[in-house]
């Protein structure tokens, strides 16, 4: 009897059994992995630390949410894009300024800004913005705070103030908010330890997004009232997607200090467009400062990202700030928002290509084109404003009366504010390209009309 066939059959059986065992192992491993990921998704965090409305330290939150906390800490990164970001510049620490690294001085990059803001603290010190991790230390050591008396109101956008407001107000953040506003910055800054952190945007029990800034609660209520919606409260009435922009809008907004109490107010009573904000300021008779060289009563716009973003196509399409600046990432079975808040140009794959199915190079080229065109027009508007300021200064030095300068000063006020509304906005025109160019065109027109006004006889 030939023994070859039995041996071959046995060998084949062994191979089949081995393959079957391997397949069974692979399937079992896959099922175990799927089960583990489902369990991770079902239990998104392990409650290591008990979080309450008084837990302001982000490191404590990080015990329950290590992935979120780790990405939040990465906002210390300093990486430039073409028109933004913060190139690290070393400096020798001193007793008055312990920072070993700072960002570049915008006043040295563009000396026209000193002329634009002559007589105002921004004309003394204005640096490139750094990541969220630096927002408190950079404010504490700017010359605008060290050399000028500033109110505690300034902390609203630069520190984790929620716990401080609760304590000062006996649990009422509005009362605490009022008390901080009335303090000097030197007094108020002693009440806080951290830059904006977890508790400023999240409920410690449910982890849902929430608004903690009284100024935004009042501002959005006034805005909605102008649109026919009464008593609007975003914490009760906003959608989850809207909240992904609203929490950012607590700080990235235009504002002013109202009255003796230096109450922080967002000027949205008539709308978010620049002309509506200007109209509100005119009716409120508000002026931030008087220009040192021209005597014009002026307005200083402050980081109005929320206002400009809401004029753009992304906002109209239902995209939220967090979709681009905090896009989703996978951590095991979890899908979380990346808390490494930064420019989408440093994260094109996650920030842009989920919606725009073009190459990374193409996406960057599109943004660069928008920003290049904006920056060119911004420079044209800046030159027009410089010409008006020079003409006003000259007329004033030659003895022109206030009556003769009145119209030109009003045009300076308009041109300055419209230009500053897009200059101070940190997207270099990208958030709302057509609106940004419209505003710059208006600014140029106001500046040139101001020059013409100086050439007209007083009636």
């Amino acid at each position: 009897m030939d023994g070859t066939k039995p041996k071959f059959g046995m060998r084949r059986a062994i191979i089949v059994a081995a393959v079957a065992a391997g397949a069974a192992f692979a399937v079992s491993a896959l099922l175990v992995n799927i089960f583990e990921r489902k369990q991770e998704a079902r239990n998104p965090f392990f409650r290591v630390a008990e979080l309450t409305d008084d837990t302001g330290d982000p490191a404590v939150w990080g015990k329950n949410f290590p992935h979120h906390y780790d990405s939040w800490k990465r906002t210390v990164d300093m990486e430039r894009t073409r028109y933004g970001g913060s190139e690290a510049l070393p400096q020798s620490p001193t007793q008055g300024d312990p920072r070993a690294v700072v960002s570049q001085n915008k006043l040295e990059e563009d000396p026209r800004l000193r002329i634009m803001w002559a007589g105002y603290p921004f004309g003394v010190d204005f640096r490139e913005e750094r990541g969220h991790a630096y927002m408190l230390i950079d404010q504490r050591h700017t010359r605008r705070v060290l050399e000028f008396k500033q109110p505690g109101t300034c902390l609203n956008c630069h520190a984790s103030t929620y716990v401080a407001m609760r304590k000062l107000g006996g649990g009422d953040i509005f009362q605490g908010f009022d008390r901080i506003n009335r303090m000097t910055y030197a007094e108020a800054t002693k009440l806080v330890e951290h830059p904006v952190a977890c508790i400023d945007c999240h409920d410690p029990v449910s982890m849902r997004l929430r608004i903690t800034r009284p100024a935004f609660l009042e501002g959005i209520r006034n805005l909605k009232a102008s649109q026919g919606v009464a008593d609007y409260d975003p914490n009760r009435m906003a959608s989850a997607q809207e909240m992904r922009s609203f929490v950012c809008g607590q700080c990235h907004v235009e504002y002013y200090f109202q009255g003796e109490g230096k109450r922080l107010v967002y000027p949205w009573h008539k709308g978010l467009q620049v002309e509506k904000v200007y109209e509100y300021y005119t009716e409120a008779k508000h002026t931030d400062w008087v220009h040192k060289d021209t005597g014009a009563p002026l307005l200083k716009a402050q980081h109005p990202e929320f206002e400009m973003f809401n004029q753009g196509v992304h906002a109209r399409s239902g995209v939220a700030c967090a979709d681009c600046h905090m896009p989703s990432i996978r951590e095991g079975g979890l899908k979380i928002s990346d808390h490494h808040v930064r420019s989408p140009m440093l994260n094109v794959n996650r920030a842009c290509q989920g919606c725009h199915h073009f190459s990374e190079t193409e996406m960057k080229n599109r943004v660069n084109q928008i920003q290049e065109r904006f920056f060119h027009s911004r420079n044209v508007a800046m030159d027009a404003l410089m010409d008006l300021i020079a003409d006003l200064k000259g007329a004033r030095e030659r003895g022109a009366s206030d009556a003769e300068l009145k119209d030109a000063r009003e045009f300076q006020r308009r041109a300055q504010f419209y230009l500053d509304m897009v200059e101070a906005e940190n997207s270099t025109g990208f958030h709302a390209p057509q609106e940004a160019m419209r505003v710059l065109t208006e600014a140029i027109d106001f500046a040139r009309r101001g020059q013409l006004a100086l050439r007209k006889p007083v009636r």
Side-chain angles (χ1 to χ4, degrees):
M1 187 179 218
D2 188 355
T4 303
K5 288 184 178 179
K7 288 181 180 178
F8 177 77
M10 187 181 298
R11 204 178 295 124
R12 183 170 58 183
I14 292 172
I15 292 172
V16 170
V19 170
F25 177 80
V27 170
S28 298
L30 176 61
L31 291 174
V32 169
N33 184 267
I34 291 172
F35 177 77
E36 289 176 346
R37 295 296 178 260
K38 284 185 175 180
Q39 289 300 108
E40 288 177 357
R42 187 176 296 136
N43 301 296
F45 70 96
F46 295 100
R47 195 177 297 278
V48 177
E50 189 67 30
L51 302 178
T52 72
D53 245 6
D54 294 318
T55 310
D57 187 350
V60 178
W61 289 65
K63 293 178 181 180
N64 292 352
F65 305 96
H67 299 306
H68 301 76
Y69 180 58
D70 178 66
S71 62
W72 177 81
K73 290 193 296 181
R74 290 167 61 195
T75 59
V76 297
D77 289 354
M78 294 180 66
E79 186 176 355
R80 273 193 71 84
T81 59
R82 185 165 187 175
Y83 290 106
S86 306
E87 182 179 349
L89 299 177
Q91 78 166 10
S92 299
T94 65
Q95 187 174 359
D97 188 349
R99 296 175 297 174
V101 174
V102 294
S103 57
Q104 60 269 35
N105 190 331
K106 283 190 173 183
L107 301 179
E108 293 177 358
E109 291 179 353
D110 189 345
R112 292 174 297 180
L113 294 172
R114 295 184 188 275
I115 299 171
M116 180 179 180
W117 298 322
Y120 196 65
F122 270 84
V124 174
D125 187 13
F126 181 45
R127 291 185 175 273
E128 189 73 62
E129 297 80 3
R130 297 202 284 176
H132 283 188
Y134 301 107
M135 60 170 59
L136 181 55
I137 191 171
D138 282 354
Q139 185 182 53
R140 282 174 169 169
H141 296 287
T142 176
R143 291 174 61 193
R144 298 197 304 273
V145 164
L146 297 176
E147 298 177 16
F148 298 85
K149 186 178 179 180
Q150 301 287 5
T153 321
C154 297
L155 282 177
N156 183 81
C157 298
H158 288 265
S160 182
T161 61
Y162 179 71
V163 173
M165 288 189 295
R166 271 178 47 82
K167 288 181 179 178
L168 283 175
D172 185 332
I173 60 171
F174 280 84
Q175 289 188 22
F177 171 67
D178 284 335
R179 291 189 62 183
I180 287 179
N181 290 340
R182 294 174 182 275
M183 294 179 178
T184 65
Y185 182 84
E187 294 170 330
T189 194
K190 296 175 183 177
L191 303 174
V192 297
E193 299 180 53
H194 308 286
V196 169
C198 318
I199 199 166
D200 296 287
C201 300
H202 291 278
D203 181 279
V205 177
S206 68
M207 300 305 137
R208 291 180 179 176
L209 292 174
R210 65 174 178 178
I211 302 301
T212 61
R213 296 299 195 266
F216 184 90
L217 291 169
E218 293 176 347
I220 199 73
R221 186 172 67 240
N222 289 329
L223 174 62
K224 291 293 186 178
S226 74
Q227 299 169 348
V229 181
D231 299 321
Y232 183 80
D233 180 356
N235 287 327
R236 292 186 297 106
M237 302 165 73
S239 69
Q241 182 68 352
E242 286 175 319
M243 290 296 280
R244 285 166 59 79
S245 288
F246 285 176
V247 291
C248 304
Q250 295 185 101
C251 295
H252 291 268
V253 293
E254 162 61 355
Y255 64 85
Y256 78 109
F257 302 156
Q258 185 183 72
E260 293 297 321
K262 300 297 181 183
R263 186 177 183 82
L264 184 66
V265 174
Y266 299 167
W268 300 344
H269 303 64
K270 296 176 177 295
L272 297 178
Q273 298 90 346
V274 61
E275 57 266 32
K276 297 297 184 182
V277 174
Y278 188 86
E279 183 181 342
Y280 168 79
Y281 280 143
T282 299
E283 291 184 5
K285 295 181 170 51
H286 174 70
T287 292
D288 283 312
W289 94 104
V290 174
H291 196 274
K292 184 181 73 172
D293 296 328
T294 69
L298 300 179
L299 301 166
K300 174 70 184 79
Q302 315 279 352
H303 42 69
E305 284 82 48
F306 184 78
E307 290 87 347
M308 290 300 296
F309 168 74
N310 274 283
Q311 312 308 312
V313 66
H314 286 89
R316 292 197 300 273
S317 301
V319 177
C321 305
D323 292 330
C324 304
H325 293 278
M326 302 174 64
S328 297
I329 56 175
R330 284 280 181 187
E331 293 288 353
L334 297 178
K335 182 180 180 182
I336 68 173
S337 290
D338 186 357
H339 284 58
H340 183 190
V341 186
R342 52 183 164 158
S343 167
M345 289 298 94
L346 300 175
N347 194 19
V348 171
N349 176 255
R350 289 198 177 98
C352 308
Q353 290 179 307
C355 296
H356 300 282
H357 301 157
F358 301 96
S359 70
E360 186 167 327
T361 299
E362 170 63 17
M363 295 309 302
K364 286 186 175 180
N365 286 341
R366 291 184 181 192
V367 175
N368 284 336
Q369 183 181 72
I370 289 170
Q371 293 184 325
E372 284 172 1
R373 290 173 174 174
F374 169 86
F375 197 68
H376 171 76
S377 296
R378 172 262 189 197
N379 284 330
V380 172
M382 187 70 75
D383 284 340
L385 180 62
M386 293 302 103
D387 290 342
L388 173 57
I389 290 173
D391 286 357
L392 262 168
K393 181 181 179 181
R396 195 183 189 198
E397 290 173 346
R398 289 191 297 271
S401 67
D402 287 341
E404 292 172 314
L405 300 178
K406 181 178 181 296
D407 288 346
R409 284 172 171 167
E410 172 60 23
F411 280 121
Q412 182 190 348
R413 177 180 165 93
R414 283 181 174 270
Q416 142 78 32
F417 184 65
Y418 276 54
L419 171 56
D420 214 4
M421 196 73 170
V422 291
E423 165 67 21
E425 202 273 333
N426 284 305
S427 73
T428 316
F430 180 78
H431 282 152
Q434 291 180 313
E435 175 68 1
M437 296 297 279
R438 180 189 75 84
V439 173
L440 285 176
T441 301
E442 295 273 17
I444 295 168
D445 182 54
F446 290 140
R448 296 311 184 194
R449 289 168 67 184
Q451 288 182 281
L452 292 174
L454 290 171
R455 291 158 172 76
K456 292 182 180 178
V458 178
R459 293 179 181 176

